[in-house]
Amino acid sequence: MTHHPGIVITGASGRMGQMLTRLVSDSDKVRLAGAVERAGHAWIGQDLGEAMGSAPLGVKVTDDPLEAFASAQAVLDFTAPEATLEFAELAAQARAVHVIGTTGMTEDQIARLAPAARHAVIIRAGNMSLGVNLLMQLTKKVARALDAEFDIEVVESHHRMKVDAPSGTALMLGEAAAEGRGVALGEVADRGRDGITGARTGGDIGFSAIRGGDVVGEHDVMFLGPGERIILRHVATDRAIFARGALKAALWGQDKAPGQYDMVDVLGL
Ligand SMILES: NC(=O)c1ccc[n+]([C@@H]2O[C@H](COP(=O)([O-])OP(=O)(O)OC[C@H]3O[C@@H](n4cnc5c(N)ncnc54)[C@H](O)[C@@H]3O)[C@@H](O)[C@H]2O)c1
Ligand SMILES: O=C(O)C1=N[C@H](C(=O)O)CCC1
């Protein structure tokens, strides 16, 4: 029996779930303690490794998060908004660190995480990579330095299966730009242009989303001014960057007081 933190992976069959499974099962700092999928999923009851087409991992996929979380020190959760809300309550009951990568949550859904965060550590970020969290700091700095003569646009591209737009990352970058400019994103965000839109409103922060193929994730923050443009860009080529960030967060959260944190806290940026 090791004392390494036990990790449960929710959405274990998903793109991120499988990436996390490989990382956790190869790690010598944590142990894989459980795998959760939605009720009715074909993997329920199977060994997770075998379901992935590789060697057995000794962990059966379950649709019972309560039972799985009971022996966990952290839950890595890249699923869907309503599932994440259920997991937050159950992870808090188990006093497990809940690392939330799920995007597409509404303001109301985010507010509903508060009761769980009174009892356990929640670490939530729309992007767990070092690069994007650094890009947020740069975005804030550039937005602070430029006046509203520079139009700010966030352009993102993702694979054809992505279900939410703008991406969680695009919204994080938009928040950073708004903070740098000293405005509330909710008051200046322009999230959908179609038809006779009229000229651009000065001070708006615009969002555009491209969906196609197998793009892992690309983000441009554009500052478009008279006679010049500044473009800050992050290109993800491997989902491992998100998985590594999530695992780092799970370990970082082990000795923290209950509350809500993000990757800026984890990375000390
Ligand atoms: N924060 C980040 O760094 C980051 C990185 C990549 C993806 N994401 C986000 O993570 C989420 C998942 O992305 P993905 O590409 O892995 O999607 P995916 O569709 O491949 O995987 C999601 C998995 O969650 C499972 N799921 C859904 N509801 C469930 C429930 N109630 N109980 C258990 N499992 C459930 C699905 O069956 C599926 O296997 C998305 O919101 C995505 O935007 C975040
Ligand atoms: O593949 C996805 O889905 C991703 N989601 C996050 C987002 O919404 O920004 C991070 C990048 C990949």
Side-chain angles (χ1 to χ4, degrees):
M1 183 74 181
T2 75
H3 295 291
H4 292 155
I7 307 282
V8 171
I9 297 169
T10 59
S13 82
R15 279 172 288 275
M16 281 305 299
Q18 294 194 49
M19 183 59 74
L20 289 160
T21 298
R22 284 188 281 272
L23 185 71
V24 168
S25 56
D26 285 350
S27 168
D28 57 7
K29 294 195 175 73
V30 293
R31 67 188 164 81
L32 183 64
V36 177
E37 255 301 341
R38 61 185 157 73
H41 193 279
W43 287 19
I44 303 297
Q46 291 190 49
D47 178 274
L48 177 58
E50 287 176 342
M52 286 172 59
S54 41
L57 289 170
V59 165
K60 277 201 175 9
V61 183
T62 177
D63 58 6
D64 183 352
L66 182 62
E67 191 198 354
F69 294 2
S71 60
Q73 279 68 57
V75 175
L76 304 184
D77 177 14
F78 289 68
T79 54
E82 282 301 326
T84 288
L85 286 173
E86 182 197 347
F87 297 149
E89 203 178 315
L90 300 177
Q93 281 173 30
R95 302 295 188 263
V97 172
H98 188 191
V99 178
I100 302 176
T102 305
T103 58
M105 297 180 80
T106 62
E107 286 303 318
D108 176 62
Q109 287 171 324
I110 292 167
R112 285 162 58 198
L113 294 172
R118 281 199 281 277
H119 304 286
V121 172
I122 293 180
I123 303 163
R124 187 178 65 84
N127 194 304
M128 302 267 168
S129 74
L130 172 64
V132 159
N133 284 277
L134 275 174
L135 186 66
M136 272 175 64
Q137 312 307 315
L138 297 175
T139 298
K140 209 180 296 178
K141 195 166 181 177
V142 176
R144 190 172 293 133
L146 299 174
D147 61 27
E149 258 211 320
F150 280 79
D151 297 321
I152 303 179
E153 293 284 318
V154 183
V155 182
E156 52 105 340
S157 306
H158 284 87
H159 55 93
R160 65 202 307 278
M161 301 305 288
K162 185 162 178 62
V163 296
D164 56 308
S167 69
T169 310
L171 292 171
M172 280 166 64
L173 294 167
E175 287 284 359
E179 195 183 324
R181 209 165 238 191
V183 295
L185 182 62
E187 283 165 23
V188 297
D190 185 354
R191 291 172 58 155
R193 299 189 186 112
D194 187 22
I196 310 295
T197 59
R200 191 183 196 288
T201 305
D204 273 4
I205 297 178
F207 292 87
S208 308
I210 294 163
R211 294 287 175 269
D214 58 1
V215 179
V216 174
E218 302 188 4
H219 293 85
D220 280 1
V221 186
M222 308 174 75
F223 297 85
L224 305 106
E228 58 184 336
R229 294 194 282 277
I230 299 165
I231 301 173
L232 303 179
R233 168 172 295 172
H234 182 266
V235 178
T237 55
D238 187 342
R239 285 186 180 82
I241 61 173
F242 312 130
R244 283 198 296 268
L247 186 53
K248 189 184 269 270
L251 290 167
W252 178 89
Q254 291 304 309
D255 59 359
K256 299 298 176 291
Q260 295 200 51
Y261 302 89
D262 60 21
M263 284 307 285
V264 173
D265 298 315
V266 173
L267 297 168
L269 298 174

PDB file of all heavy atoms in Angstrom, residues 226-243:
ATOM      1  N   PRO A 226      -4.404  51.608 -35.395  1.00  0.00           N
ATOM      2  CA  PRO A 226      -4.159  52.359 -36.619  1.00  0.00           C
ATOM      3  C   PRO A 226      -2.709  52.169 -37.083  1.00  0.00           C
ATOM      4  O   PRO A 226      -1.793  52.548 -36.386  1.00  0.00           O
ATOM      5  CB  PRO A 226      -4.425  53.811 -36.211  1.00  0.00           C
ATOM      6  CG  PRO A 226      -4.359  53.830 -34.726  1.00  0.00           C
ATOM      7  CD  PRO A 226      -4.577  52.452 -34.210  1.00  0.00           C
ATOM      8  N   GLY A 227      -2.547  51.472 -38.205  1.00  0.00           N
ATOM      9  CA  GLY A 227      -1.209  51.311 -38.782  1.00  0.00           C
ATOM     10  C   GLY A 227      -0.381  50.180 -38.210  1.00  0.00           C
ATOM     11  O   GLY A 227       0.745  49.951 -38.655  1.00  0.00           O
ATOM     12  N   GLU A 228      -0.898  49.455 -37.203  1.00  0.00           N
ATOM     13  CA  GLU A 228      -0.111  48.333 -36.663  1.00  0.00           C
ATOM     14  C   GLU A 228      -0.997  47.341 -35.918  1.00  0.00           C
ATOM     15  O   GLU A 228      -2.104  47.655 -35.489  1.00  0.00           O
ATOM     16  CB  GLU A 228       1.008  48.842 -35.730  1.00  0.00           C
ATOM     17  CG  GLU A 228       0.514  49.653 -34.570  1.00  0.00           C
ATOM     18  CD  GLU A 228       1.650  50.222 -33.729  1.00  0.00           C
ATOM     19  OE1 GLU A 228       2.752  49.651 -33.747  1.00  0.00           O
ATOM     20  OE2 GLU A 228       1.425  51.234 -33.046  1.00  0.00           O
ATOM     21  N   ARG A 229      -0.507  46.113 -35.797  1.00  0.00           N
ATOM     22  CA  ARG A 229      -1.236  45.062 -35.077  1.00  0.00           C
ATOM     23  C   ARG A 229      -0.258  44.281 -34.217  1.00  0.00           C
ATOM     24  O   ARG A 229       0.857  43.992 -34.639  1.00  0.00           O
ATOM     25  CB  ARG A 229      -1.876  44.061 -36.063  1.00  0.00           C
ATOM     26  CG  ARG A 229      -2.955  44.646 -36.915  1.00  0.00           C
ATOM     27  CD  ARG A 229      -3.760  43.559 -37.595  1.00  0.00           C
ATOM     28  NE  ARG A 229      -3.098  42.968 -38.754  1.00  0.00           N
ATOM     29  CZ  ARG A 229      -3.109  43.496 -39.984  1.00  0.00           C
ATOM     30  NH1 ARG A 229      -3.734  44.640 -40.199  1.00  0.00           N
ATOM     31  NH2 ARG A 229      -2.505  42.893 -40.982  1.00  0.00           N
ATOM     32  N   ILE A 230      -0.706  43.934 -33.021  1.00  0.00           N
ATOM     33  CA  ILE A 230       0.072  43.034 -32.163  1.00  0.00           C
ATOM     34  C   ILE A 230      -0.757  41.764 -32.032  1.00  0.00           C
ATOM     35  O   ILE A 230      -1.956  41.825 -31.735  1.00  0.00           O
ATOM     36  CB  ILE A 230       0.295  43.654 -30.772  1.00  0.00           C
ATOM     37  CG1 ILE A 230       1.082  44.963 -30.896  1.00  0.00           C
ATOM     38  CG2 ILE A 230       1.022  42.676 -29.848  1.00  0.00           C
ATOM     39  CD1 ILE A 230       1.034  45.809 -29.649  1.00  0.00           C
ATOM     40  N   ILE A 231      -0.101  40.616 -32.251  1.00  0.00           N
ATOM     41  CA  ILE A 231      -0.836  39.345 -32.149  1.00  0.00           C
ATOM     42  C   ILE A 231      -0.080  38.417 -31.201  1.00  0.00           C
ATOM     43  O   ILE A 231       1.077  38.074 -31.444  1.00  0.00           O
ATOM     44  CB  ILE A 231      -0.996  38.688 -33.530  1.00  0.00           C
ATOM     45  CG1 ILE A 231      -1.748  39.630 -34.470  1.00  0.00           C
ATOM     46  CG2 ILE A 231      -1.759  37.352 -33.403  1.00  0.00           C
ATOM     47  CD1 ILE A 231      -1.834  39.165 -35.903  1.00  0.00           C
ATOM     48  N   LEU A 232      -0.755  38.038 -30.113  1.00  0.00           N
ATOM     49  CA  LEU A 232      -0.187  37.072 -29.161  1.00  0.00           C
ATOM     50  C   LEU A 232      -0.816  35.723 -29.469  1.00  0.00           C
ATOM     51  O   LEU A 232      -2.032  35.623 -29.576  1.00  0.00           O
ATOM     52  CB  LEU A 232      -0.519  37.486 -27.725  1.00  0.00           C
ATOM     53  CG  LEU A 232      -0.075  38.888 -27.290  1.00  0.00           C
ATOM     54  CD1 LEU A 232      -0.504  39.159 -25.840  1.00  0.00           C
ATOM     55  CD2 LEU A 232       1.438  39.042 -27.412  1.00  0.00           C
ATOM     56  N   ARG A 233       0.005  34.689 -29.598  1.00  0.00           N
ATOM     57  CA  ARG A 233      -0.524  33.390 -30.072  1.00  0.00           C
ATOM     58  C   ARG A 233      -0.062  32.229 -29.199  1.00  0.00           C
ATOM     59  O   ARG A 233       1.105  32.167 -28.797  1.00  0.00           O
ATOM     60  CB  ARG A 233      -0.070  33.145 -31.510  1.00  0.00           C
ATOM     61  CG  ARG A 233      -0.323  31.714 -32.003  1.00  0.00           C
ATOM     62  CD  ARG A 233      -0.038  31.578 -33.474  1.00  0.00           C
ATOM     63  NE  ARG A 233      -0.979  32.376 -34.248  1.00  0.00           N
ATOM     64  CZ  ARG A 233      -0.890  32.571 -35.560  1.00  0.00           C
ATOM     65  NH1 ARG A 233       0.105  32.044 -36.241  1.00  0.00           N
ATOM     66  NH2 ARG A 233      -1.790  33.287 -36.195  1.00  0.00           N
ATOM     67  N   HIS A 234      -0.979  31.310 -28.928  1.00  0.00           N
ATOM     68  CA  HIS A 234      -0.608  30.022 -28.319  1.00  0.00           C
ATOM     69  C   HIS A 234      -1.123  28.903 -29.208  1.00  0.00           C
ATOM     70  O   HIS A 234      -2.275  28.930 -29.640  1.00  0.00           O
ATOM     71  CB  HIS A 234      -1.217  29.877 -26.923  1.00  0.00           C
ATOM     72  CG  HIS A 234      -0.831  28.597 -26.252  1.00  0.00           C
ATOM     73  ND1 HIS A 234      -1.598  27.456 -26.310  1.00  0.00           N
ATOM     74  CD2 HIS A 234       0.270  28.270 -25.522  1.00  0.00           C
ATOM     75  CE1 HIS A 234      -0.992  26.496 -25.630  1.00  0.00           C
ATOM     76  NE2 HIS A 234       0.137  26.958 -25.143  1.00  0.00           N
ATOM     77  N   VAL A 235      -0.264  27.924 -29.481  1.00  0.00           N
ATOM     78  CA  VAL A 235      -0.652  26.769 -30.277  1.00  0.00           C
ATOM     79  C   VAL A 235      -0.393  25.514 -29.458  1.00  0.00           C
ATOM     80  O   VAL A 235       0.745  25.252 -29.061  1.00  0.00           O
ATOM     81  CB  VAL A 235       0.149  26.717 -31.602  1.00  0.00           C
ATOM     82  CG1 VAL A 235      -0.219  25.476 -32.401  1.00  0.00           C
ATOM     83  CG2 VAL A 235      -0.098  27.978 -32.426  1.00  0.00           C
ATOM     84  N   ALA A 236      -1.446  24.760 -29.173  1.00  0.00           N
ATOM     85  CA  ALA A 236      -1.295  23.470 -28.482  1.00  0.00           C
ATOM     86  C   ALA A 236      -1.212  22.385 -29.549  1.00  0.00           C
ATOM     87  O   ALA A 236      -2.043  22.336 -30.456  1.00  0.00           O
ATOM     88  CB  ALA A 236      -2.492  23.221 -27.571  1.00  0.00           C
ATOM     89  N   THR A 237      -0.196  21.523 -29.430  1.00  0.00           N
ATOM     90  CA  THR A 237      -0.062  20.442 -30.413  1.00  0.00           C
ATOM     91  C   THR A 237      -0.258  19.075 -29.763  1.00  0.00           C
ATOM     92  O   THR A 237      -0.258  18.061 -30.447  1.00  0.00           O
ATOM     93  CB  THR A 237       1.335  20.486 -31.089  1.00  0.00           C
ATOM     94  OG1 THR A 237       2.322  20.448 -30.063  1.00  0.00           O
ATOM     95  CG2 THR A 237       1.500  21.743 -31.920  1.00  0.00           C
ATOM     96  N   ASP A 238      -0.405  19.059 -28.416  1.00  0.00           N
ATOM     97  CA  ASP A 238      -0.498  17.789 -27.706  1.00  0.00           C
ATOM     98  C   ASP A 238      -1.325  17.996 -26.428  1.00  0.00           C
ATOM     99  O   ASP A 238      -0.989  18.866 -25.612  1.00  0.00           O
ATOM    100  CB  ASP A 238       0.938  17.335 -27.340  1.00  0.00           C
ATOM    101  CG  ASP A 238       0.982  15.941 -26.745  1.00  0.00           C
ATOM    102  OD1 ASP A 238      -0.071  15.444 -26.288  1.00  0.00           O
ATOM    103  OD2 ASP A 238       2.074  15.355 -26.728  1.00  0.00           O
ATOM    104  N   ARG A 239      -2.398  17.217 -26.271  1.00  0.00           N
ATOM    105  CA  ARG A 239      -3.258  17.341 -25.071  1.00  0.00           C
ATOM    106  C   ARG A 239      -2.502  17.033 -23.775  1.00  0.00           C
ATOM    107  O   ARG A 239      -3.017  17.285 -22.692  1.00  0.00           O
ATOM    108  CB  ARG A 239      -4.471  16.399 -25.172  1.00  0.00           C
ATOM    109  CG  ARG A 239      -5.525  16.878 -26.111  1.00  0.00           C
ATOM    110  CD  ARG A 239      -6.789  16.037 -26.106  1.00  0.00           C
ATOM    111  NE  ARG A 239      -7.706  16.615 -27.067  1.00  0.00           N
ATOM    112  CZ  ARG A 239      -7.664  16.386 -28.379  1.00  0.00           C
ATOM    113  NH1 ARG A 239      -6.796  15.545 -28.878  1.00  0.00           N
ATOM    114  NH2 ARG A 239      -8.508  17.006 -29.191  1.00  0.00           N
ATOM    115  N   ALA A 240      -1.324  16.457 -23.889  1.00  0.00           N
ATOM    116  CA  ALA A 240      -0.538  16.149 -22.679  1.00  0.00           C
ATOM    117  C   ALA A 240      -0.273  17.419 -21.875  1.00  0.00           C
ATOM    118  O   ALA A 240      -0.132  17.355 -20.649  1.00  0.00           O
ATOM    119  CB  ALA A 240       0.780  15.479 -23.060  1.00  0.00           C
ATOM    120  N   ILE A 241      -0.224  18.583 -22.532  1.00  0.00           N
ATOM    121  CA  ILE A 241       0.050  19.826 -21.764  1.00  0.00           C
ATOM    122  C   ILE A 241      -1.076  20.107 -20.770  1.00  0.00           C
ATOM    123  O   ILE A 241      -0.834  20.604 -19.675  1.00  0.00           O
ATOM    124  CB  ILE A 241       0.293  21.055 -22.677  1.00  0.00           C
ATOM    125  CG1 ILE A 241      -0.925  21.377 -23.552  1.00  0.00           C
ATOM    126  CG2 ILE A 241       1.533  20.834 -23.533  1.00  0.00           C
ATOM    127  CD1 ILE A 241      -0.790  22.692 -24.344  1.00  0.00           C
ATOM    128  N   PHE A 242      -2.328  19.777 -21.143  1.00  0.00           N
ATOM    129  CA  PHE A 242      -3.458  20.003 -20.228  1.00  0.00           C
ATOM    130  C   PHE A 242      -3.424  18.964 -19.100  1.00  0.00           C
ATOM    131  O   PHE A 242      -3.708  19.271 -17.948  1.00  0.00           O
ATOM    132  CB  PHE A 242      -4.797  19.887 -20.976  1.00  0.00           C
ATOM    133  CG  PHE A 242      -4.862  20.661 -22.279  1.00  0.00           C
ATOM    134  CD1 PHE A 242      -5.303  20.058 -23.459  1.00  0.00           C
ATOM    135  CD2 PHE A 242      -4.488  21.995 -22.317  1.00  0.00           C
ATOM    136  CE1 PHE A 242      -5.368  20.760 -24.645  1.00  0.00           C
ATOM    137  CE2 PHE A 242      -4.554  22.714 -23.513  1.00  0.00           C
ATOM    138  CZ  PHE A 242      -4.983  22.086 -24.689  1.00  0.00           C
ATOM    139  N   ALA A 243      -3.109  17.727 -19.462  1.00  0.00           N
ATOM    140  CA  ALA A 243      -3.085  16.645 -18.471  1.00  0.00           C
ATOM    141  C   ALA A 243      -1.987  16.901 -17.436  1.00  0.00           C
ATOM    142  O   ALA A 243      -2.200  16.731 -16.233  1.00  0.00           O
ATOM    143  CB  ALA A 243      -2.873  15.303 -19.175  1.00  0.00           C
TER     144      ALA A 243
END
